[in-house]
């Protein structure tokens, strides 16, 4: 593993290796809060569009590893791109740093960066394409909170059409045995055919519009945006159905996940239930990104 | 002490404890410049409105303690608040960090944050309400430069109506014995009645419009803003009176303080007088914030 | 050396001293990537106008030395200058930090800062005036890639009128023996008379409009901006001539430099030639700035 650009580049074994390393990182965080695996090393966080949560999670991971961070958070007031090509910027920055995490509005920007970099590049989201560290932290959350990924029963609820998070996680889950996926969404926001075709041979899939979550291990909620609907009345019809409340959960043995930020698709009274794990999921972004930074750096100096 | 939200939450003993710890931190700064009490630890500086001076002082304090900083300096180009509640943001960030310093335009935002955080929260200013670390560095400056807080004679000059700095410091001083306060301001900018009522039983107070500073230990200057006056002619009448010059000071045995930034209410030729201590006061923000960060962190892991 | 404000303040010996120290810093970077000469120390990067590349290079240098960085990247959303004088800001910040790097749109701002600072100030560019660390990294690149500065033959190509980089490097080269400079530019963008007069006694100079680079050690390219031409047709005439391609270079024994960012004045296919050293030049900014930070800090605590 030289770079982490797309989940499609890494296989089941590499995923499991990252999850194992994440577990070691989590133990370090719980025991003493930090370590010095990347002491004196520099991560460049190049955020060509703002994403505070992802940026802070990467920075936290690097600093918990004993490393340092340089970067920018928005290009509007930087000079880095004054007529300069992305390739040139990456050539310069990879002379300063040991690792690069890039977020860019254009699909393919992370791949292009990796081709021009002397140091490992991590895709921190390129447009509607890939955001592999989110997928890996989702998998880690499942492993830690459910206890297994194989034979997992998971329901995805909400906007399954536009969310790269859901597509990417479904594809990753298709690498594991015995996974069953329920796709619960309004007709307007169904999973795209190409994603379904990609995974349908490898995984048990069912699609529905009603929220039936009696027999699943994980409920993965996503945000439904009003502006996705052609007819606003259709939005108001589904809004209530896809808002998770205490009543939906009851005493079911289920893990509730959400990539955050949440708006109102999970009632805030759900937060106090033992099944709510979305803030834990967000925390898991730190050990998972620590593992990725550590593994990529170690491979780069071999 | 779990959080530092308001000076009203802490008593005389806790104040003295912070000032003692600040003295130890100042000694460390003078001797070797830094220490490693918070090695590997992370402070999140969440600045929902810009305040470069306060932010840099907090960041300096954390780094002098051996710690690291993550955060944002302005919400306009962050995604952290894209429809997300402050409570959710704090729940996420407190999963990344060991301490949080928050600056927010809304009164009560820091309190709300502390109620949703697993780690200590420090109020770095919430609207016109509280800014407790400023008050503590003011008290520290008095202790270091005058030598005592009890029996202090202090004159506040300028805008005593709108400045939270002055109100908060007066309230804190009312916890100490024998303090005498002179309130010197134009009629338009007098100290609000509720602040005076709050402290008048505990402290000797006098109000005046002329600058009489012969018998005080400290002159605490504040900025008078033109836009506070209904009649601009009134502003020009008082402008000259409340501008401190070399002549005002002479060889008086007095300590001149100012929360900064200064515009023209202290003549720049005053800077070279031995009585001028406002840049030292600004420097004292570092050891005082070091003490606060250290004490809060230590309490949080007990 | 107390501050680094202008190349005119330092002599040949001091330049050579900085280049020697830079070589030691480069060895450290290549061997273990970092050191702890400035462990626990703080550099304040005060960027009153954006310059991402310069800022990241300074931050990298400080962090590779084991130090920390505080600062701001743009004043539009800071409060530091809310009616506050630059002198006051520097007095405050020099109470927080051990070193200051300042970038400011006004000529003379760095000098003024140094006069108000208790800690060393480095000019990271003040308007069209000076940018001494760029000049020093250019000299270091020549030393490392050509092997000698004395008896150097160098051609400057492009806009020689507006670029402070070229003026400053020519002046610095005039301190060394036997240097020959070719100035290659369109008539509209010739080197200003005052710069030529300043160095013409000390250095062998020739001016031309055609690109003749057969007998030089270094080709130093600069960007030609369309908006510099009164008549746009003149621009289109010179555009092609001053665009460096593979054909220009052939198998000449020459080092190609460029201060970057590059737009199209060097064809991207030149990048793969062994003569292309502009990305290496950019990398050299790190060891050179490490040397400057280390030397200034050491002098300041003597």
């Amino acid at each position: 593993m030289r770079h982490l650009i797309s989940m499609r580049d890494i296989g089941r074994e590499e995923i499991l290796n990252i999850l194992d390393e994440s577990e070691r990182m989590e133990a370090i965080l719980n025991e003493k809060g930090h370590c010095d695996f990347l002491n004196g090393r520099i991560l460049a966080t190049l955020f060509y569009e703002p994403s505070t949560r992802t940026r802070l999670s990467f920075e936290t991971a690097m600093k918990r590893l004993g490393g340092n961070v340089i970067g920018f958070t928005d290009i509007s007031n930087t000079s880095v791109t004054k007529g300069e090509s992305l390739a040139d910027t990456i050539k310069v920055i990879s002379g300063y740093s040991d690792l690069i995490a890039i977020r860019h509005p254009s699909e393919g920007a992370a791949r292009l960066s990796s081709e021009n970099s002397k140091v490992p590049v991590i895709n921190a989201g390129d447009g509607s394409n890939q955001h592999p560290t989110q997928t890996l932290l989702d998998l880690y959350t499942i492993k830690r909170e459910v206890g297994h990924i194989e034979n997992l029963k998971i329901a995805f609820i909400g906007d399954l059409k536009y969310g790269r998070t859901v597509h990417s996680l479904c594809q990753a889950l298709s690498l594991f045995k015995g996974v069953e996926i329920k796709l619960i969404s309004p007709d307007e926001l169904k999973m795209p055919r190409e994603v379904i075709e990609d995974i349908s041979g490898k995984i048990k899939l069912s699609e529905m519009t009603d929220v039936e979550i009696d027999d699943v291990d994980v409920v993965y909620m996503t945000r439904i945006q009003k502006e996705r609907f052609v007819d606003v009345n259709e939005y108001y019809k589904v809004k209530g159905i896809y808002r998770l409340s205490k009543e939906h959960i009851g005493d079911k043995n289920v893990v509730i996940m959400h990539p955050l930020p949440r708006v109102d698709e999970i009632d805030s009274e759900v937060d106090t239930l033992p099944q709510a794990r979305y803030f834990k999921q967000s925390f898991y972004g730190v050990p998972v990104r620590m593992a990725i930074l550590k593994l990529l750096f170690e491979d780069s100096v071999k």
Side-chain angles (χ1 to χ4, degrees), chain A:
Chain A
M1 191 167 67
R2 280 278 300 141
H3 304 282
L4 180 59
I5 305 305
S6 165
M7 285 305 290
R8 294 178 179 281
D9 300 344
I10 58 176
R12 195 174 161 284
E13 286 313 303
E14 278 174 302
I15 290 172
L16 291 175
N17 187 32
I18 293 168
L19 301 188
D20 284 350
E21 188 73 22
S22 304
E23 216 149 343
R24 283 189 285 274
M25 295 300 115
E26 193 195 339
I28 287 170
L29 288 177
N30 291 334
E31 275 156 40
K32 44 180 207 152
H34 61 99
C35 53
D36 52 13
F37 288 118
L38 297 189
N39 189 240
R41 298 297 165 179
I42 292 178
L43 167 70
T45 52
L46 311 185
F47 277 60
Y48 285 83
E49 63 177 10
S51 174
T52 307
R53 184 186 307 278
T54 301
R55 179 175 62 82
L56 294 183
S57 179
F58 268 108
E59 294 194 14
T60 301
M62 189 64 184
K63 289 170 179 178
R64 296 292 190 195
L65 285 161
N68 292 305
V69 178
I70 61 169
F72 48 82
T73 58
D74 185 16
I75 51 154
S76 68
N77 48 15
T78 76
S79 59
V80 99
T81 51
K82 256 181 206 158
E84 183 176 62
S85 70
L86 178 60
D88 274 20
T89 301
I90 295 297
K91 280 174 186 163
V92 168
I93 301 292
S94 76
Y96 297 166
S97 57
D98 301 296
L99 289 152
I100 292 175
I102 183 169
R103 176 139 191 151
H104 200 285
S106 306
E107 201 170 308
R111 179 82 63 199
L112 178 74
S113 298
S114 71
E115 289 160 0
N116 286 282
S117 174
K118 290 178 292 185
V119 302
V121 172
I122 301 167
N123 185 357
D126 59 338
S128 60
N129 188 29
Q130 280 274 336
H131 188 11
T133 60
Q134 176 70 45
T135 306
L136 286 161
L137 82 84
D138 286 345
L139 290 169
Y140 185 69
T141 305
I142 292 167
K143 190 185 172 200
R144 290 284 286 120
E145 299 301 313
V146 180
H148 57 89
I149 304 180
E150 297 202 338
N151 303 312
L152 182 78
K153 290 181 180 152
I154 183 170
F156 290 96
I157 301 182
D159 175 359
L160 308 186
K161 186 172 179 184
Y162 297 101
R164 66 180 167 193
T165 306
V166 172
H167 306 169
S168 191
L169 182 53
C170 284
Q171 285 159 346
L173 287 172
S174 77
L175 301 173
F176 293 83
K177 273 190 228 156
V179 175
E180 293 182 30
I181 296 182
K182 273 192 183 178
L183 301 170
I184 303 172
S185 71
D187 284 337
E188 286 88 346
L189 299 174
K190 284 171 82 173
M191 179 81 86
R193 283 307 97 185
E194 60 272 23
V195 181
I196 288 191
E197 278 162 25
D198 190 31
I199 58 173
S200 60
K202 308 163 205 161
I203 220 163
K204 203 176 153 194
L205 273 183
S206 55
E207 291 187 271
M208 61 201 69
T209 53
D210 288 343
V211 174
E212 293 168 17
I213 54 172
D214 282 342
D215 56 344
V216 297
D217 303 306
V218 173
V219 169
Y220 197 108
M221 288 301 294
T222 67
R223 188 150 51 102
I224 293 189
Q225 291 171 284
K226 202 173 166 180
E227 55 272 32
R228 298 301 192 188
F229 288 80
V230 180
D231 179 351
V232 78
N233 290 318
E234 290 300 315
Y235 169 70
Y236 286 114
K237 262 194 261 171
V238 305
K239 189 180 180 313
I241 307 172
Y242 296 105
R243 187 168 180 206
L244 212 63
S245 69
K246 237 172 169 167
E247 287 66 44
H248 282 103
I249 309 300
D251 57 358
K252 291 189 182 73
N253 184 20
V254 74
V255 165
I256 305 165
M257 294 172 64
H258 190 298
L260 301 183
R262 167 230 343 228
V263 180
D264 63 359
E265 57 280 3
I266 300 179
D267 203 295
S268 70
E269 62 177 21
V270 173
D271 295 5
T272 55
L273 298 181
Q275 294 98 326
R277 309 286 165 86
Y278 27 94
F279 291 114
K280 212 160 183 187
Q281 177 187 3
S282 153
F283 161 72
Y284 285 145
V286 178
V288 169
R289 290 184 175 108
M290 287 172 74
I292 293 164
L293 291 167
K294 179 174 179 285
L295 292 170
L296 282 170
F297 178 76
E298 286 171 353
D299 280 0
S300 76
V301 294
K302 251 182 203 156

